[in-house]
Amino acid sequence: MSAAVAAEPAKVDPMYQFTIKPLAELELAGFDISFTNSAAWMLVTTIVLFGFVLGGMRRQLVPGRWQMAVEFFTSFIDDMLQANIGDAGRKYVPYVFSLFMFILFANILGLLPLGVVGLHPFTFTSHFTVTGVLALITITIVLVVGFWKHGLHFFGLFVPHGTPLAMVPLIFVIELFSFILRPFSLALRLFVAMMAGHVLLEVLSSFVIDGTNAGALWGGVVGLPSFLLMIGICALEILVSGIQAYVFALLTVFYINDAENLH
Amino acid sequence: MPQIAQLADTYASQIFWLLVFFGLTFFVVGRGMVPKVMSTVADRDSQIAADLAVAEAARAKADGEEAAWRKREGDNRAAAQALVAKAKADAAAKAEKKLAAAQKRLDTKLAKAEAEIAEARNNALAEIEDVAVEAARDIVRRLAGVSVTKPAAAKAVKEAMAHG
């Protein structure tokens, strides 16, 4: 599929890292559901997340470091829901926690320098098929909760209080449009942020490699500064991993709040 | 951009496996484990709150006991002071009584002594009178050769002594 891209030697293709490669061909009802490197990293993320939370299940009265770390994350999500939605937000903790931790772990696992040992990490959150599905799940929950709790009053969400009667149709269209755009902004934000960081790292690494290959002078002028910049960008990317997971979870909470409490 | 170039080939696999693994995460981790972790936190919070309440109650009890002890101590002190004051007053009264008795004894002694002195003086005076009467009769007899009776002489002496 992507062998043509990989065939060119001595050239760093910054987009190559996003290529999906099938590891085992599978088919279901006419759809190609091959187990790919992307799916493999979803599996890794699930296992690591499971292991992480399992370490926090010792239920000790005086928690150890691990248990404390897990409890920090659950309390963090719990507080976020409590602050934005109120007591009704409690029941969304499992979903928002899963979402936040799944994205966070995927982002961070995708940054691990495992390429050094020949195991190339794949950041599946840099694919809009993945972020899009997550965004659609969130919006589905918002729609289901909204119509379940408020019925047709849920459309009141698109007409803010105090809108002059003459403006209602226009405001309704604008608000509806912004609502429809929500899953796209949610999905694209995460996908673009993750892809941009990884592309930047790859481009800088090509500067390091090509600069160093061109001799000591270019290695010193281009390669070394690029390398130092890469270290900084790596730190920044770790930050972005956390922030993007947080933003995704926070926006999900805001949207669920709209459905729970309207305005 | 593989995300777009491979979209048609991979979307089914991406969506399928994401639903599988995110579903696993949601049901096993989110629904299965997170509530347990949160109940641990809630249990701990309630236990801490309960412990704090017990400690607070114990402190209040200790405060109450201290206040009671202080009150008892104050009562005891007041009682002791009253006892001391009473003993002091008793001792003072007793001393006064003794002193009064002693004074009375002294007074009677003094009165007796004064009476004795007065009597002795009177006796001495009477003797002097007698001596003076005898002397006056003797002098009169020797000078005038007249014998004066004793009462007349005594009368004259008395007159002379009264006039000094």
Side-chain angles (χ1 to χ4, degrees):
Chain A
M1 226 175 326
S2 52
V5 187
E8 289 182 26
K11 215 176 180 183
V12 179
D13 177 1
M15 300 311 281
Y16 176 66
Q17 57 178 324
F18 303 117
T19 309
I20 296 173
K21 283 169 278 187
L23 303 177
E25 306 274 355
L26 286 172
E27 217 181 272
L28 184 77
F31 288 104
D32 174 22
I33 54 154
S34 301
F35 191 79
T36 60
N37 53 346
S38 173
W41 281 94
M42 293 176 196
L43 174 64
V44 170
T45 301
T46 305
I47 290 171
V48 172
L49 180 54
F50 177 79
F52 174 71
V53 179
L54 191 68
M57 294 268 289
R58 265 168 292 175
R59 321 202 64 178
Q60 285 165 336
L61 186 62
V62 179
R65 283 157 195 260
W66 196 308
Q67 192 183 339
M68 213 128 117
V70 177
E71 284 173 3
F72 166 78
F73 280 111
T74 58
S75 303
F76 170 66
I77 300 296
D78 191 28
D79 291 347
M80 193 202 286
L81 283 158
Q82 188 81 36
N84 288 298
I85 302 181
D87 286 329
R90 269 254 147 127
K91 55 180 174 288
Y92 301 105
V93 169
Y95 173 67
V96 179
F97 179 85
S98 305
L99 190 67
F100 173 74
M101 295 302 273
F102 195 70
I103 295 172
L104 179 69
F105 275 52
N107 292 350
I108 288 177
L109 286 170
L111 272 177
L112 290 182
L114 297 175
V116 177
V117 293
L119 192 70
H120 287 277
F122 182 89
T123 316
F124 59 83
T125 42
S126 63
H127 275 253
F128 59 77
T129 39
V130 170
T131 58
V133 170
L134 292 177
L136 280 176
I137 294 173
T138 288
I139 295 301
T140 307
I141 289 175
V142 169
L143 288 174
V144 168
V145 169
F147 283 113
W148 186 275
K149 278 199 73 159
H150 305 288
L152 289 179
H153 288 296
F154 185 56
F155 284 112
L157 184 64
F158 305 130
V159 185
H161 285 300
T163 310
L165 202 61
M167 296 288 283
V168 165
L170 188 62
I171 294 286
F172 185 87
V173 171
I174 292 173
E175 289 281 332
L176 183 65
F177 196 64
S178 100
F179 185 83
I180 290 167
L181 277 179
R182 278 176 180 182
F184 293 98
S185 71
L186 206 53
L188 288 177
R189 184 180 296 109
L190 176 59
F191 143 70
V192 166
M194 294 322 293
M195 191 182 73
H198 285 259
V199 167
L200 186 58
L201 283 176
E202 205 77 1
V203 168
L204 285 171
S205 76
S206 82
F207 287 172
V208 174
I209 295 167
D210 290 347
T212 313
N213 283 346
L217 176 66
W218 289 116
V221 175
V222 176
L224 193 63
S226 300
F227 184 68
L228 292 176
L229 190 59
M230 272 183 81
I231 295 174
I233 301 280
C234 278
L236 186 70
E237 279 307 299
I238 294 172
L239 188 69
V240 169
S241 294
I243 288 174
Q244 288 302 327
Y246 175 66
V247 167
F248 203 108
L250 189 66
L251 286 174
T252 296
V253 171
F254 285 164
Y255 298 159
I256 293 175
N257 179 41
D258 282 348
E260 273 285 340
N261 302 324
L262 287 184
H263 279 297
Chain B
M1 198 159 147
Q3 286 95 330
I4 295 170
Q6 292 185 304
L7 184 60
D9 291 332
T10 60
Y11 77 94
S13 152
Q14 287 281 75
I15 293 169
F16 175 79
W17 288 112
L18 177 68
L19 289 178
V20 167
F21 289 123
F22 185 67
L24 268 178
T25 301
F26 174 66
F27 285 107
V28 176
V29 177
R31 302 284 302 259
M33 296 159 90
V34 167
K36 290 197 182 107
V37 173
M38 285 177 66
S39 77
T40 309
V41 175
D43 285 353
R44 181 183 310 124
D45 286 352
S46 65
Q47 172 143 17
I48 288 172
D51 286 355
L52 280 179
V54 168
E56 186 64 42
R59 204 182 67 177
K61 192 166 164 255
D63 281 353
E65 268 171 17
E66 200 199 323
W69 176 79
R70 265 182 208 288
K71 193 173 172 297
R72 227 171 33 239
E73 193 69 4
D75 289 352
N76 286 348
R77 194 185 293 272
Q81 264 164 4
L83 219 63
V84 167
K86 192 167 169 279
K88 247 186 204 164
D90 282 358
K94 227 185 214 165
E96 210 165 294
K97 225 158 123 191
K98 251 189 192 158
L99 218 63
Q103 189 73 42
K104 214 171 162 189
R105 246 190 354 261
L106 279 177
D107 282 353
T108 49
K109 238 184 195 168
L110 215 64
K112 218 170 118 193
E114 269 171 11
E116 270 168 13
I117 288 168
E119 202 192 321
R121 202 163 127 240
N122 285 347
N123 287 349
L125 277 177
E127 256 166 55
I128 287 170
E129 230 178 85
D130 279 351
V131 170
V133 170
E134 283 303 316
R137 273 177 72 193
D138 208 23
I139 290 164
V140 169
R141 192 165 34 97
R142 278 190 195 170
L143 288 178
V146 183
S147 176
V148 184
T149 58
K150 212 176 175 179
K155 197 183 165 203
V157 166
K158 252 189 189 130
E159 246 166 51
M161 277 180 87
H163 290 126

